[in-house]
Amino acid sequence: MSYEEIKSQAISEWGALQQSKKPRIFVGTATCGRAAGAMATLEALKKELAAARIDAVIMQVGCIGFCYAEPLVDIIKPGRPRISYGSITPQLAAQLVKDYLINDNPRPDLAIGTIGDGEIPGIPKLAETPLMKGQVRLATRNCGFIDPTDIKHYIANSGYGGFTKALKMTPEAVIDEIKKSGLRGRGGAGFPTGQKWEFCRRSAGKEKYLICNADEGDPGAFMNRSQLESDPHSVLEGMLIGAYAIGTTQGFIYCRAEYPLAIEHLEIAIKQMRDAGLLGKNILGSNFSFDIEIREGAGAFVCGEETALMVSIEGKRGMPRSRPPFPAVSGLWGKPSNINNVGTWADVSTIMQNSGEWYSKYGSEKSKGTKTFSLAGKVVRTGLIEVPMGIPLKNIIYEIGGGISSGKNFKAVLTGGPSGGCLPANLMDLPVDYENLAQAGSIVGSGGMLVADESTCMVDMARFFLSFCQSESCGKCVPCRVGTRQMLTILERITKGKGTPEDIPTLEKLATLLKSTSLCALGQTAPNPTLTTLRYFRSEFEAHINEKRCPSLACKELTNYYILPDKCEGCQICFRNCPVQAISGGKRMIHIIDQSKCTKCNTCFSVCPERFSAVVKVSGQKIEVPAEPIPVPERPKAVKAA
Amino acid sequence: MDEKLKQSLAAFRGQRGATIPALQKAQEILGYLPEEAISEVASLLGMSTNEVYGVATFYSQFRFERPGDHQIKCCLGTACYVQGSSRILEAVEDELKLPRDRFTTDDYKFSVERVACLGSCALAPVMVIDESVYGRMTPAKAREILNKI
């Protein structure tokens, strides 16, 4: 079938679906959904619908972004708005079929919100909930609404309209449109995309390459995974537009092997593109030819760096090189190449489907548009969000995120992964964009946002990120190879109570060295978490070094567990559960932990009944306990308050 | 082993930059990369075994020892770490009585790997066994799941 025929069929099928008299049920089966049990929920739905002889349309969709409430099930009953339900176990799925589809009880207790026209008593409109109110879902508009394995769904929703528009323009005009939008690279560096394309277009030579960086190595970031699993065509259309504008004939998607579902959806999508005449020679009857190959990463964080990524595609060890020459001049196999992140490509198709000027109305003065963020950690509503650049940090954490999940105090938000920094409580009003975060000592990075509460030790987090960079260092340049090792050794000593006052100035000196002399951004940014935690949480470092105390009670060597003699009732639960038999004590005897055997696994703390709360975790202090178990003394019974 | 491997790898002959995809295919078929696989890839792509080893050992995806029947991946990425995933790993290693510095149990039933990030951060802590992803793990849940396999 020709593209036009497919498009016309797609639009009429989608239209018919919207008017369907059958109930429509959407189940989120992206990786996060599956991790929460979505496939079992899907099976339960199918079983219950069959048993009730209800003819419904069931669609497996991608990630709408409410990861905290997975498994997610959305239901449209004809004539009613769509209802989004959260935390739907197989049992609750069966209940929904009976209660809502048969007995017309929409179960407000299970609902998150409604989407579309109409009201359902007791259920708020999703767009008005704190979760969605601040979000502007442009790149992610299809995620959770279309079947990612069906190109017709994408096409029916303005899909590839950006590309067909671009084909009618000159390549230079397309580049201009991207420049007008103000789009900056979403991989982390934030370089103006239009300009980058122009460099590559202007480079001499006919053989040029287009690359999509889908390596997403930052721990804590899953924006790209979500986009590729839920709406792969949004990225592929962006690549088509870029290839046309720059003048490349071959594209590569370098996707990390840890994302098998994303790769599967990409493979399906690319095949459907070929069948529709959107890939190959003379696309849609034009002079433009382009094809895409998928290359899987092999577990090297450094291959997210552009020069390492390209050399990895060439089949070598993923070691970066110095620039200039930049990829736009000499990249893959020495030819001019343009590499952009998954998020950037998705934004490109969004922009071309509308206009550069339209996109530039969102965001802040120097950071235009919207950005996806992976909100995770100690926040109530973890998930994939898309917000306008410049949104105040507190809106993300407290409104969209719903505040701190543990009930403890907020401590910091870690942005930009292992290359980034932390933003403490007094920066809550900071607008989140490239310039502001850089000034505060952090970076937007690829979009990982991790919320830490008072139980997170910032010294330990600095050590954690550095340990990651150190093990992922390619080893080519001395500053990074040796420097990260030295910084890590110092941080490890500090977390183990063996720090000295000279350690802090040494860390700062090493940090400056790495930042200014490392070959690539891995080494250059590896000191960032250490530098920002020193900037905002110096007192924690000083406590570890001078007092051998971890204020957050996180560093194992500096914390001890004790059973309080005046609270222990000798119930023996901790004794039975200790995996290393470090607790002694019989029935109705005060139990004692042998500090030399204790592995600080936290089991006794978590199993001690709440009404006793006899186990405490302390740092920098010693609790007096009997030398051996003694009988629990008679204690006056607690007097109940009148 | 030889024939199936040779046939699957033959497709890579003449392809540019095929080293990593060829090694990935070999590992997919064999479960790991024994010496024979490295030699096969080397001769196919006109490289020395030395060069191929140089590439293979750079990437953490490649295994050079026979793995267990079940692959366990414990995520120690940021979001999982902050939610206590190192305790999950400890529980898994303890439950399987994994010898120190070994990745595979003596009976070759399980292999345990620590990974940096699986991308399901909102459901931290995360553990993957073969194709199944388990979210919101606790040490107790991890032990329970292991005992069911």
Side-chain angles (χ1 to χ4, degrees):
Chain A
M1 266 202 290
S2 73
Y3 172 71
E4 286 304 321
E5 283 165 341
I6 293 178
K7 183 172 166 184
S8 145
Q9 197 182 70
I11 292 174
S12 79
E13 276 174 20
W14 184 261
L17 185 63
Q18 307 317 303
Q19 305 301 323
S20 176
K21 294 278 180 277
K22 296 186 207 174
R24 275 161 284 153
I25 305 179
F26 308 83
V27 184
T29 56
T31 303
C32 44
R34 289 175 194 228
M39 299 314 276
T41 298
L42 180 65
E43 283 317 301
L45 274 168
K46 286 184 184 166
K47 205 167 138 197
E48 199 64 32
L49 288 165
R53 295 190 207 280
I54 297 177
D55 186 15
V57 176
I58 303 184
M59 214 193 288
Q60 285 191 52
V61 295
C63 187
I64 201 173
F66 311 156
C67 308
Y68 74 98
E70 298 274 13
L72 290 159
V73 174
D74 284 32
I75 302 182
I76 302 182
K77 231 177 143 171
R80 302 280 180 78
R82 173 173 167 149
I83 306 179
S84 207
Y85 293 99
S87 306
I88 302 302
T89 57
Q91 293 83 351
L92 290 175
Q95 280 181 31
L96 273 176
V97 172
K98 284 203 191 73
D99 293 342
Y100 187 35
L101 292 183
I102 302 178
N103 296 322
D104 216 31
N105 166 12
R107 294 295 302 269
D109 58 313
L110 297 174
I112 302 175
T114 60
I115 303 169
D117 294 326
E119 313 242 334
I120 302 214
I123 304 179
K125 282 185 184 275
L126 195 64
E128 288 163 17
T129 59
L131 164 64
M132 283 300 262
K133 210 159 155 192
Q135 295 198 48
V136 175
R137 296 183 81 91
L138 300 180
T140 53
R141 66 192 172 285
N142 288 330
C143 301
F145 292 91
I146 62 168
D147 177 349
T149 61
D150 190 346
I151 191 174
K152 287 193 280 186
H153 282 200
Y154 184 70
I155 292 174
N157 286 280
S158 310
Y160 290 104
F163 172 61
T164 49
K165 188 193 286 178
L167 269 187
K168 298 195 184 98
M169 300 160 70
T170 63
E172 287 78 7
V174 176
I175 293 180
D176 257 340
E177 199 66 27
I178 299 298
K179 276 180 165 177
K180 254 189 246 161
S181 73
L183 179 65
R184 291 169 69 167
R186 296 298 191 227
F191 190 85
T193 307
Q195 220 175 74
K196 195 166 168 182
W197 287 12
E198 198 167 61
F199 290 148
C200 194
R201 175 153 195 92
R202 288 194 180 153
S203 289
K206 282 234 136 66
E207 194 185 333
K208 295 183 185 172
Y209 295 101
L210 195 84
I211 302 171
C212 172
N213 187 342
D215 199 45
E216 194 162 64
D218 272 4
F222 51 94
M223 306 76 49
N224 294 168
R225 175 187 64 68
S226 201
Q227 190 79 33
L228 289 170
E229 287 178 356
S230 313
D231 191 9
H233 287 285
S234 62
V235 177
L236 294 164
E237 181 182 357
M239 288 178 75
L240 266 184
I241 294 166
Y244 174 72
I246 296 168
T248 66
T249 52
Q250 179 64 39
F252 289 92
I253 301 178
Y254 189 88
C255 185
R256 63 196 306 244
E258 290 90 332
Y259 287 174
L261 191 63
I263 293 172
E264 193 190 307
H265 286 187
L266 276 170
E267 284 169 343
I268 294 172
I270 288 174
K271 177 168 187 310
Q272 290 176 346
M273 280 173 89
R274 283 211 189 93
D275 292 343
L278 285 165
L279 275 182
K281 292 220 171 333
N282 302 108
I283 295 176
L284 300 187
S286 72
N287 285 333
F288 170 58
S289 304
F290 184 63
D291 214 319
I292 299 178
E293 202 185 303
I294 300 177
R295 286 295 177 97
E296 286 182 42
F301 172 71
V302 70
C303 285
E305 196 277 340
E306 60 183 4
T307 58
L309 191 157
M310 290 188 295
V311 105
S312 182
I313 293 179
E314 291 176 18
K316 307 195 188 103
R317 290 163 70 89
M319 286 175 153
R321 58 163 174 78
S322 53
R323 284 153 293 164
F326 286 91
V329 169
S330 171
L332 198 53
W333 291 297
K335 304 294 179 201
S337 309
N338 182 82
I339 173 167
N340 278 120
N341 180 270
V342 163
T344 313
W345 290 123
D347 286 341
V348 163
S349 62
T350 307
I351 290 167
M352 287 310 288
Q353 283 177 19
N354 294 273
S355 78
E357 206 197 309
W358 163 87
Y359 193 74
S360 70
K361 293 208 159 55
Y362 294 98
S364 63
E365 197 202 320
K366 293 203 178 131
S367 305
K368 294 285 174 209
T370 55
K371 171 95 186 71
T372 51
F373 288 97
S374 306
L375 189 59
K378 305 287 178 78
V379 76
V380 174
R381 293 192 281 262
T382 53
L384 197 287
I385 67 173
E386 187 174 356
V387 291
M389 290 294 244
I391 184 175
L393 185 61
K394 65 173 181 247
N395 289 29
I396 295 180
I397 313 262
Y398 289 102
E399 310 232 337
I400 300 174
I404 307 301
S405 55
S406 57
K408 298 199 171 103
N409 289 324
F410 170 85
K411 190 180 228 177
V413 60
L414 305 155
T415 65
S419 313
C422 59
L423 301 167
N426 62 1
L427 288 180
M428 266 304 145
D429 291 320
L430 192 73
V432 175
D433 67 15
Y434 294 108
E435 273 67 35
N436 277 299
L437 257 65
Q439 246 173 29
S442 186
I443 60 170
V444 167
S446 62
M449 240 187 211
L450 202 93
V451 179
D453 66 12
E454 52 187 296
S455 70
T456 309
C457 174
M458 300 312 283
V459 183
D460 185 50
M461 287 318 289
R463 181 207 60 79
F464 171 84
F465 282 127
L466 198 48
S467 160
F468 177 80
C469 289
Q470 197 280 319
S471 69
E472 294 292 336
S473 168
C474 79
K476 184 170 175 181
C477 76
V478 173
C480 178
R481 186 178 77 241
V482 183
T484 52
R485 177 77 259 169
Q486 295 302 341
M487 284 184 77
L488 180 61
T489 305
I490 296 173
L491 284 166
E492 278 175 345
R493 274 195 299 102
I494 296 176
T495 57
K496 291 188 174 152
K498 299 199 163 66
T500 67
E502 294 76 48
D503 285 339
I504 296 184
T506 309
L507 278 173
E508 288 170 334
K509 232 194 315 189
L510 281 168
T512 313
L513 189 79
L514 264 77
K515 277 175 88 80
S516 49
T517 62
S518 296
L519 180 64
C520 81
L522 193 156
Q524 289 157 11
T525 59
N528 285 355
T530 305
L531 286 175
T532 48
T533 47
L534 269 170
R535 176 172 166 179
Y536 296 114
F537 296 97
R538 201 181 187 92
S539 60
E540 280 196 38
F541 280 83
E542 287 165 351
H544 280 71
I545 291 173
N546 302 328
E547 298 167 58
K548 311 300 179 216
R549 180 176 65 92
C550 175
S552 317
L553 304 177
C555 294
K556 268 195 178 178
E557 274 83 351
L558 299 180
T559 52
N560 292 94
Y561 289 82
Y562 289 98
I563 298 172
L564 296 172
D566 55 350
K567 293 240 171 97
C568 178
E569 293 286 333
C571 71
Q572 298 219 284
I573 292 180
C574 63
F575 167 78
R576 284 197 292 268
N577 281 280
C578 176
V580 295
Q581 287 91 50
I583 302 180
S584 52
K587 202 163 168 193
R588 292 297 291 167
M589 305 286 276
I590 293 180
H591 284 45
I592 304 174
I593 296 174
D594 182 345
Q595 298 298 330
S596 66
K597 286 190 185 157
C598 176
T599 59
K600 331 277 174 84
C601 71
N602 207 51
T603 304
C604 55
F605 186 84
S606 55
V607 300
C608 180
E610 210 184 304
R611 64 187 186 282
F612 304 145
S613 292
V615 181
V616 288
K617 199 175 157 184
V618 297
S619 179
Q621 54 172 283
K622 192 170 179 253
I623 307 253
E624 285 307 315
V625 294
E628 278 183 17
I630 57 174
V632 174
E634 283 303 315
R635 289 182 188 136
K637 290 242 175 347
V639 176
K640 285 213 178 109
Chain B
M1 180 258 262
D2 280 314
E3 269 325 298
K4 183 168 183 209
L5 186 68
K6 277 186 155 76
Q7 265 174 29
S8 307
L9 293 184
F12 293 106
R13 191 183 292 279
Q15 209 186 89
R16 277 184 109 177
T19 324
I20 294 167
L23 287 168
Q24 285 169 331
K25 193 69 186 173
Q27 180 160 290
E28 193 188 300
I29 294 171
L30 299 171
Y32 68 119
L33 294 173
E35 226 178 284
E36 303 86 77
I38 303 281
S39 314
E40 188 62 39
V41 171
S43 75
L44 188 82
L45 300 177
M47 296 165 73
S48 66
T49 47
N50 198 22
E51 277 177 291
V52 177
Y53 257 123
V55 174
T57 49
F58 183 86
Y59 296 96
S60 61
Q61 184 189 25
F62 298 123
R63 292 183 287 259
F64 302 94
E65 276 173 22
R66 189 195 140 187
D69 299 329
H70 298 285
Q71 310 301 315
I72 302 171
K73 294 189 171 108
C74 286
C75 184
L76 291 177
T78 324
C80 287
Y81 183 77
V82 154
Q83 299 282 38
S85 66
S86 49
R87 292 215 164 99
I88 313 279
L89 178 65
E90 277 167 23
V92 167
E93 286 174 341
D94 180 66
E95 190 66 27
L96 298 177
K97 306 274 177 283
L98 202 62
R100 264 208 90 127
D101 295 336
R102 286 277 313 275
F103 298 116
T104 309
T105 53
D106 286 334
D107 58 3
Y108 286 103
K109 190 164 178 209
F110 292 103
S111 283
V112 182
E113 243 183 281
R114 15 177 110 193
V115 291
C117 183
L118 295 158
S120 290
C121 317
L123 284 137
V126 172
M127 178 175 77
V128 170
I129 304 185
D130 300 326
E131 309 285 303
S132 308
V133 183
Y134 297 93
R136 301 189 185 117
M137 277 286 103
T138 62
K141 271 192 214 162
R143 288 180 193 264
E144 208 185 293
I145 293 171
L146 286 178
N147 282 314
K148 285 202 188 130
I149 298 181

